[in-house]
Amino acid sequence: MGVAHTMLKNQKRKKPFKVDFVGVGARKAGTTWIADCLWEHPEICMSQPKEVNYFNEILTNLLGIPNKNFGRSLEWYMQHYAHCKEGAIKGEFCISYLKDPKAAHVIHSFFPETKIIIGLRDPVNRAYSDYNMFHHYVSRDDSPTFEEAIRKNENYLKSSLYAEDVERYMDLFGRDQVHCILLDDIKKDPNSVVSRLYAFLNVDPSFQPQALWGSSNESKAARFKYFGRFVFHSKRFLVRLRLNELLEFLKRTGLDQSLMKIGAKEQSFGKVNPKTRRDLIPYFMDDIEELESLLQRDLSAWKQ
């Protein structure tokens, strides 16, 4: 790709830099739990913050906001791993990479041997959770109901169409380099999920993270408007100041979660209205069946 070629052409490095894995989405599909389990493993070093937003041209498909980081130098990207010790395998988890049609190609242009991790979830439930995040936490959607939100912005539903995006990554990187995790499996048997994930990355699969039996990124409602956006930008500001170690310290001591509790509260938003769910199943049916073929597993629970 032209952009990737230009970005690579301008790099002058003493030794090769690579990332060993990239988590690419989907949003609200257990990705924070996956990232937390990766972060805890002693052989793994996650970027700071975990979502660098480097390979995607659009910040989120839901909002269509251009990504200012797209096209920056690789040195800029490397600074998000400045805290990593030599020998650790490195990676990030960015939920904007799955739906951006260019991201897979740019990642492959830089790191063709990197491993890809994809989190997936029942499409209706994912869309509903997405709406609650943008409405109650990020303050980007003022629609009073999920039903009104999906009428106004079809991207809530399009973000739950996975087959084309999963196939794109499989075609580029090969099936053996793509590892898909379903939120259903995390809820049923998290120990097996994380063990298989570690084995996929060739690190000790017997390690058990504290995050294993916990819930990450529970549904939240901001106590203050724009709090979610403040958190997003403040982490990137600290990285620009080369304060990666401070972000690591805040996470390891739990201070980051303490700060989150000041600005947001966990809140349950219940389940999707049964009638709404019934009405939406036909929209997703073809995609679910195509995904069943790609993953070679039964997804009938998503069709109910």
Side-chain angles (χ1 to χ4, degrees):
M1 290 188 62
V3 173
H5 176 73
T6 302
M7 293 159 79
L8 281 168
K9 184 178 179 182
N10 294 329
Q11 309 313 317
K12 295 180 180 179
R13 308 185 300 282
K14 292 183 179 180
K15 62 180 181 178
F17 170 84
K18 68 171 184 173
V19 291
D20 301 278
F21 66 90
V22 178
V24 301
R27 189 170 55 244
K28 307 305 293 180
T31 55
T32 298
W33 181 89
I34 297 169
D36 284 347
C37 290
L38 293 170
W39 177 83
E40 283 193 51
H41 199 289
E43 298 175 62
I44 296 174
C45 181
M46 293 288 289
S47 66
Q48 281 292 0
K50 75 177 177 71
E51 296 182 62
V52 181
N53 280 292
Y54 180 61
F55 302 108
N56 50 311
E57 187 174 28
I58 302 299
L59 198 56
T60 72
N61 66 306
L62 192 69
L63 303 174
I65 301 173
N67 178 22
K68 295 180 181 179
N69 298 335
F70 188 70
R72 287 180 182 262
S73 70
L74 190 58
E75 277 71 23
W76 179 89
Y77 182 67
M78 288 168 59
Q79 74 183 16
H80 296 80
Y81 298 92
H83 57 289
C84 294
K85 296 178 180 178
E86 189 172 352
I89 72 167
K90 299 184 292 295
E92 64 156 317
F93 216 118
C94 184
I95 54 177
S96 296
Y97 295 159
L98 184 62
K99 299 305 296 185
D100 189 305
K102 290 186 178 179
H105 297 277
V106 179
I107 295 169
H108 189 264
S109 296
F110 274 102
F111 310 115
E113 296 181 359
T114 197
K115 295 182 177 181
I116 303 298
I117 302 167
I118 305 175
L120 301 172
R121 180 182 187 180
D122 174 294
V124 178
N125 292 342
R126 194 222 63 83
Y128 181 59
S129 183
D130 215 10
Y131 159 71
N132 285 318
M133 180 186 72
F134 278 97
H135 179 68
H136 295 283
Y137 181 67
V138 186
S139 303
R140 288 281 195 182
D141 190 329
D142 58 3
S143 304
T145 66
F146 173 57
E147 289 74 15
E148 182 173 332
I150 60 178
R151 282 195 295 270
K152 289 168 56 178
N153 190 343
E154 193 183 8
N155 281 321
Y156 280 115
L157 303 184
K158 287 183 176 179
S159 294
S160 290
L161 297 172
Y162 310 125
E164 180 181 356
D165 305 307
V166 171
E167 187 172 25
R168 182 189 309 119
Y169 278 95
M170 285 183 171
D171 287 346
L172 277 171
F173 291 89
R175 287 176 178 264
D176 290 344
Q177 281 181 232
V178 178
H179 185 68
C180 292
I181 298 173
L182 304 189
L183 185 60
D184 310 41
D185 294 337
I186 294 175
K187 291 180 177 180
K188 290 178 184 176
D189 191 356
N191 191 59
S192 295
V193 169
V194 80
S195 180
R196 288 194 297 268
L197 174 62
Y198 289 156
F200 172 68
L201 297 176
N202 295 319
V203 296
D204 181 8
S206 66
F207 177 77
Q208 289 203 328
Q210 290 185 351
L212 184 63
W213 298 102
S215 298
S216 299
N217 200 21
E218 288 292 308
S219 297
K220 298 181 182 68
R223 300 180 193 274
F224 315 106
K225 196 172 183 179
Y226 308 124
F227 175 75
R229 275 180 265 179
F230 167 76
V231 172
F232 179 88
H233 292 294
S234 62
K235 289 182 178 180
R236 280 146 184 79
F237 177 71
L238 290 174
V239 170
R240 285 200 297 272
L241 295 179
R242 300 186 183 278
L243 295 176
N244 300 45
E245 295 290 350
L246 175 59
L247 286 170
E248 283 285 292
F249 172 78
L250 291 173
K251 187 170 181 64
R252 291 195 183 280
T253 57
L255 289 173
D256 62 334
Q257 289 303 311
S258 297
L259 292 171
M260 285 293 295
K261 288 178 181 178
I262 295 174
K265 58 183 178 181
E266 291 186 4
Q267 184 168 327
S268 174
F269 299 107
K271 296 182 178 181
V272 182
N273 182 296
K275 181 182 183 304
T276 301
R277 181 175 181 84
R278 285 195 301 270
D279 291 344
L280 289 177
I281 292 299
Y283 179 93
F284 294 113
M285 187 61 72
D286 289 346
D287 190 76
I288 294 172
E289 292 179 349
E290 187 176 349
L291 190 64
E292 284 181 315
S293 178
L294 284 170
L295 302 183
Q296 298 182 347
R297 65 172 295 173
D298 176 23
L299 299 175
S300 56
W302 291 7
K303 305 174 187 177
Q304 297 173 3

